[in-house]
Amino acid sequence: MVNELPLRERKKLRTREALVETALALFSEKGFAAVTLDELVAAVEVSKRTFFRTFASKEDVALAPEKELWRAYAERIEARPLTGPLLTTLQDTLFMSVADMADGWERRFRASRALADRTPALTAHSLRHCADVTDALVASVASRHPADELRVRLLFELMLAAWRHALKEWAGQPGDPGRDALRSRTREAFDAIPEVAELARGTAGD
C-alpha cells in the first residue's frame, strides 16, 4: 500500500504521478513534439535532474502507463510457478497485473495509447519496448518450462495479438470505458485463441 511506504518513497511516487498526469495532458493538448522538457518540468515545478531520476526521456513518461503494466507483469511471471496450462498462466497473470494498477491507471493508459497511435516516435518506442519485454519474458519462461523457446515465444505472441485486438476494441468504445470494460474485451479476445489452433489444424468449422 502507498501509505505504508516511507515518506521519501511516497514523495517520489507523487512526483512520478504528477509528471505522468501533466505530461499526458500537455502532449494530448499540444502534441508530443510541441511540448519541451523545460515546459513539462516547469508545469510540475521540478528540476530536469528530478525528471531524469524518474524517467529516461519524454517517450518514457508518455508511455509510463504501458511500461508500468508490463513491469508488474514481468515481476508476477518471475515469482509465479509455471504449473498447469502455460497459456492460462500467461493470461491470468495479465488480468492480475491489470487489477494491480493504481487508481486511474486505465484513464492514463487510454490517453497514452491514443497519443502513441498518432505519434510515430512513440509508436516506434512502444514497439521497441514491447520487443525487449517479450524477449526477456520468453527467455525467463523458457528457462523454467519444458517447452522450448520457440513454442513459448509463439504462445506469448499469440496472447499479445489477442491483447492488442482487445485494446483496439476498448479504445474505440464511446465515452470513458473503465477497467471492467478492458477486462471484458480482453477475455473475449482470449476466448477466441483456442479456435486459432483449430484453424492451424484445418478443423475449424468441420
mmCIF file of all heavy atoms in Angstrom, residues 133-155:
data_model
loop_
_atom_site.group_PDB
_atom_site.id
_atom_site.type_symbol
_atom_site.label_atom_id
_atom_site.label_comp_id
_atom_site.label_asym_id
_atom_site.label_seq_id
_atom_site.Cartn_x
_atom_site.Cartn_y
_atom_site.Cartn_z
ATOM 1 N N VAL A 133 10.624 -6.437 -23.858
ATOM 2 C CA VAL A 133 9.893 -7.150 -22.806
ATOM 3 C C VAL A 133 9.593 -8.581 -23.234
ATOM 4 O O VAL A 133 9.749 -9.529 -22.455
ATOM 5 C CB VAL A 133 8.591 -6.403 -22.452
ATOM 6 C CG1 VAL A 133 7.696 -7.268 -21.568
ATOM 7 C CG2 VAL A 133 8.905 -5.091 -21.756
ATOM 8 N N THR A 134 9.173 -8.743 -24.482
ATOM 9 C CA THR A 134 8.870 -10.080 -24.994
ATOM 10 C C THR A 134 10.098 -10.979 -24.937
ATOM 11 O O THR A 134 10.026 -12.126 -24.475
ATOM 12 C CB THR A 134 8.340 -9.997 -26.437
ATOM 13 O OG1 THR A 134 7.126 -9.244 -26.452
ATOM 14 C CG2 THR A 134 8.081 -11.388 -27.001
ATOM 15 N N ASP A 135 11.237 -10.478 -25.401
ATOM 16 C CA ASP A 135 12.464 -11.267 -25.375
ATOM 17 C C ASP A 135 12.808 -11.712 -23.958
ATOM 18 O O ASP A 135 13.164 -12.880 -23.720
ATOM 19 C CB ASP A 135 13.633 -10.460 -25.947
ATOM 20 C CG ASP A 135 13.556 -10.288 -27.457
ATOM 21 O OD1 ASP A 135 12.740 -10.980 -28.093
ATOM 22 O OD2 ASP A 135 14.301 -9.442 -27.993
ATOM 23 N N ALA A 136 12.715 -10.784 -23.007
ATOM 24 C CA ALA A 136 13.067 -11.105 -21.621
ATOM 25 C C ALA A 136 12.094 -12.117 -21.022
ATOM 26 O O ALA A 136 12.512 -13.063 -20.337
ATOM 27 C CB ALA A 136 13.090 -9.831 -20.782
ATOM 28 N N LEU A 137 10.801 -11.933 -21.274
ATOM 29 C CA LEU A 137 9.802 -12.840 -20.710
ATOM 30 C C LEU A 137 9.903 -14.229 -21.322
ATOM 31 O O LEU A 137 9.806 -15.237 -20.616
ATOM 32 C CB LEU A 137 8.402 -12.264 -20.922
ATOM 33 C CG LEU A 137 8.019 -11.107 -19.995
ATOM 34 C CD1 LEU A 137 6.721 -10.456 -20.469
ATOM 35 C CD2 LEU A 137 7.851 -11.604 -18.561
ATOM 36 N N VAL A 138 10.090 -14.285 -22.625
ATOM 37 C CA VAL A 138 10.206 -15.585 -23.291
ATOM 38 C C VAL A 138 11.421 -16.343 -22.751
ATOM 39 O O VAL A 138 11.338 -17.545 -22.451
ATOM 40 C CB VAL A 138 10.294 -15.408 -24.816
ATOM 41 C CG1 VAL A 138 10.728 -16.709 -25.493
ATOM 42 C CG2 VAL A 138 8.941 -14.961 -25.370
ATOM 43 N N ALA A 139 12.537 -15.659 -22.625
ATOM 44 C CA ALA A 139 13.737 -16.314 -22.103
ATOM 45 C C ALA A 139 13.525 -16.806 -20.677
ATOM 46 O O ALA A 139 13.936 -17.926 -20.322
ATOM 47 C CB ALA A 139 14.920 -15.341 -22.156
ATOM 48 N N SER A 140 12.873 -15.991 -19.859
ATOM 49 C CA SER A 140 12.623 -16.371 -18.472
ATOM 50 C C SER A 140 11.700 -17.583 -18.373
ATOM 51 O O SER A 140 11.983 -18.534 -17.641
ATOM 52 C CB SER A 140 12.008 -15.191 -17.712
ATOM 53 O OG SER A 140 11.603 -15.573 -16.417
ATOM 54 N N VAL A 141 10.597 -17.542 -19.120
ATOM 55 C CA VAL A 141 9.638 -18.651 -19.063
ATOM 56 C C VAL A 141 10.251 -19.921 -19.639
ATOM 57 O O VAL A 141 10.125 -21.008 -19.064
ATOM 58 C CB VAL A 141 8.343 -18.279 -19.815
ATOM 59 C CG1 VAL A 141 7.424 -19.496 -19.947
ATOM 60 C CG2 VAL A 141 7.608 -17.151 -19.084
ATOM 61 N N ALA A 142 10.935 -19.810 -20.765
ATOM 62 C CA ALA A 142 11.525 -20.987 -21.408
ATOM 63 C C ALA A 142 12.575 -21.648 -20.525
ATOM 64 O O ALA A 142 12.755 -22.875 -20.574
ATOM 65 C CB ALA A 142 12.133 -20.600 -22.751
ATOM 66 N N SER A 143 13.254 -20.856 -19.693
ATOM 67 C CA SER A 143 14.277 -21.424 -18.815
ATOM 68 C C SER A 143 13.675 -22.225 -17.667
ATOM 69 O O SER A 143 14.372 -23.016 -17.020
ATOM 70 C CB SER A 143 15.153 -20.307 -18.238
ATOM 71 O OG SER A 143 14.431 -19.518 -17.297
ATOM 72 N N ARG A 144 12.361 -22.042 -17.432
ATOM 73 C CA ARG A 144 11.705 -22.728 -16.308
ATOM 74 C C ARG A 144 10.591 -23.658 -16.751
ATOM 75 O O ARG A 144 9.883 -24.211 -15.915
ATOM 76 C CB ARG A 144 11.134 -21.685 -15.336
ATOM 77 C CG ARG A 144 12.185 -20.798 -14.690
ATOM 78 C CD ARG A 144 11.579 -19.822 -13.705
ATOM 79 N NE ARG A 144 10.793 -18.779 -14.346
ATOM 80 C CZ ARG A 144 9.564 -18.427 -13.991
ATOM 81 N NH1 ARG A 144 8.961 -19.065 -13.001
ATOM 82 N NH2 ARG A 144 8.939 -17.456 -14.606
ATOM 83 N N HIS A 145 10.425 -23.838 -18.060
ATOM 84 C CA HIS A 145 9.303 -24.624 -18.581
ATOM 85 C C HIS A 145 9.816 -25.663 -19.565
ATOM 86 O O HIS A 145 10.807 -25.431 -20.270
ATOM 87 C CB HIS A 145 8.303 -23.693 -19.270
ATOM 88 C CG HIS A 145 6.980 -24.319 -19.536
ATOM 89 N ND1 HIS A 145 6.727 -25.052 -20.681
ATOM 90 C CD2 HIS A 145 5.840 -24.352 -18.809
ATOM 91 C CE1 HIS A 145 5.472 -25.486 -20.642
ATOM 92 N NE2 HIS A 145 4.910 -25.078 -19.521
ATOM 93 N N PRO A 146 9.152 -26.824 -19.625
ATOM 94 C CA PRO A 146 9.612 -27.870 -20.551
ATOM 95 C C PRO A 146 9.558 -27.476 -22.029
ATOM 96 O O PRO A 146 10.321 -28.008 -22.839
ATOM 97 C CB PRO A 146 8.661 -29.041 -20.271
ATOM 98 C CG PRO A 146 8.135 -28.800 -18.897
ATOM 99 C CD PRO A 146 8.068 -27.314 -18.745
ATOM 100 N N ALA A 147 8.647 -26.586 -22.389
ATOM 101 C CA ALA A 147 8.537 -26.184 -23.797
ATOM 102 C C ALA A 147 9.778 -25.415 -24.216
ATOM 103 O O ALA A 147 10.384 -24.689 -23.420
ATOM 104 C CB ALA A 147 7.296 -25.326 -24.013
ATOM 105 N N ASP A 148 10.173 -25.567 -25.492
ATOM 106 C CA ASP A 148 11.353 -24.843 -25.956
ATOM 107 C C ASP A 148 11.001 -23.376 -26.206
ATOM 108 O O ASP A 148 9.838 -22.971 -26.205
ATOM 109 C CB ASP A 148 11.953 -25.493 -27.205
ATOM 110 C CG ASP A 148 11.000 -25.512 -28.388
ATOM 111 O OD1 ASP A 148 10.234 -24.544 -28.577
ATOM 112 O OD2 ASP A 148 11.006 -26.503 -29.145
ATOM 113 N N GLU A 149 12.049 -22.583 -26.437
ATOM 114 C CA GLU A 149 11.865 -21.137 -26.547
ATOM 115 C C GLU A 149 10.978 -20.755 -27.725
ATOM 116 O O GLU A 149 10.195 -19.803 -27.642
ATOM 117 C CB GLU A 149 13.223 -20.451 -26.654
ATOM 118 C CG GLU A 149 13.131 -18.937 -26.571
ATOM 119 C CD GLU A 149 14.467 -18.271 -26.340
ATOM 120 O OE1 GLU A 149 15.251 -18.785 -25.516
ATOM 121 O OE2 GLU A 149 14.723 -17.234 -26.991
ATOM 122 N N LEU A 150 11.080 -21.460 -28.837
ATOM 123 C CA LEU A 150 10.249 -21.141 -29.996
ATOM 124 C C LEU A 150 8.774 -21.262 -29.658
ATOM 125 O O LEU A 150 7.979 -20.361 -29.966
ATOM 126 C CB LEU A 150 10.586 -22.070 -31.167
ATOM 127 C CG LEU A 150 9.634 -21.978 -32.375
ATOM 128 C CD1 LEU A 150 9.670 -20.574 -32.976
ATOM 129 C CD2 LEU A 150 9.989 -23.028 -33.420
ATOM 130 N N ARG A 151 8.384 -22.343 -29.019
ATOM 131 C CA ARG A 151 6.964 -22.554 -28.705
ATOM 132 C C ARG A 151 6.464 -21.588 -27.639
ATOM 133 O O ARG A 151 5.317 -21.130 -27.690
ATOM 134 C CB ARG A 151 6.739 -24.011 -28.307
ATOM 135 C CG ARG A 151 6.779 -24.938 -29.511
ATOM 136 C CD ARG A 151 7.012 -26.401 -29.153
ATOM 137 N NE ARG A 151 6.996 -27.216 -30.377
ATOM 138 C CZ ARG A 151 7.998 -27.294 -31.239
ATOM 139 N NH1 ARG A 151 9.114 -26.591 -31.018
ATOM 140 N NH2 ARG A 151 7.907 -28.051 -32.319
ATOM 141 N N VAL A 152 7.317 -21.285 -26.685
ATOM 142 C CA VAL A 152 6.943 -20.271 -25.692
ATOM 143 C C VAL A 152 6.731 -18.922 -26.365
ATOM 144 O O VAL A 152 5.767 -18.212 -26.097
ATOM 145 C CB VAL A 152 8.022 -20.161 -24.590
ATOM 146 C CG1 VAL A 152 7.726 -18.967 -23.672
ATOM 147 C CG2 VAL A 152 8.079 -21.445 -23.769
ATOM 148 N N ARG A 153 7.630 -18.565 -27.282
ATOM 149 C CA ARG A 153 7.511 -17.283 -27.987
ATOM 150 C C ARG A 153 6.227 -17.229 -28.809
ATOM 151 O O ARG A 153 5.502 -16.226 -28.796
ATOM 152 C CB ARG A 153 8.717 -17.045 -28.890
ATOM 153 C CG ARG A 153 8.651 -15.719 -29.669
ATOM 154 C CD ARG A 153 9.908 -15.470 -30.448
ATOM 155 N NE ARG A 153 11.047 -15.258 -29.571
ATOM 156 C CZ ARG A 153 11.338 -14.087 -29.007
ATOM 157 N NH1 ARG A 153 10.566 -13.020 -29.238
ATOM 158 N NH2 ARG A 153 12.389 -13.964 -28.226
ATOM 159 N N LEU A 154 5.941 -18.279 -29.557
ATOM 160 C CA LEU A 154 4.734 -18.294 -30.375
ATOM 161 C C LEU A 154 3.483 -18.165 -29.515
ATOM 162 O O LEU A 154 2.531 -17.454 -29.869
ATOM 163 C CB LEU A 154 4.675 -19.573 -31.208
ATOM 164 C CG LEU A 154 5.715 -19.688 -32.331
ATOM 165 C CD1 LEU A 154 5.632 -21.067 -32.982
ATOM 166 C CD2 LEU A 154 5.516 -18.598 -33.369
ATOM 167 N N LEU A 155 3.484 -18.835 -28.367
ATOM 168 C CA LEU A 155 2.335 -18.762 -27.473
ATOM 169 C C LEU A 155 2.180 -17.357 -26.901
ATOM 170 O O LEU A 155 1.069 -16.805 -26.851
ATOM 171 C CB LEU A 155 2.496 -19.782 -26.340
ATOM 172 C CG LEU A 155 1.246 -20.069 -25.503
ATOM 173 C CD1 LEU A 155 0.153 -20.697 -26.362
ATOM 174 C CD2 LEU A 155 1.596 -20.994 -24.340
#
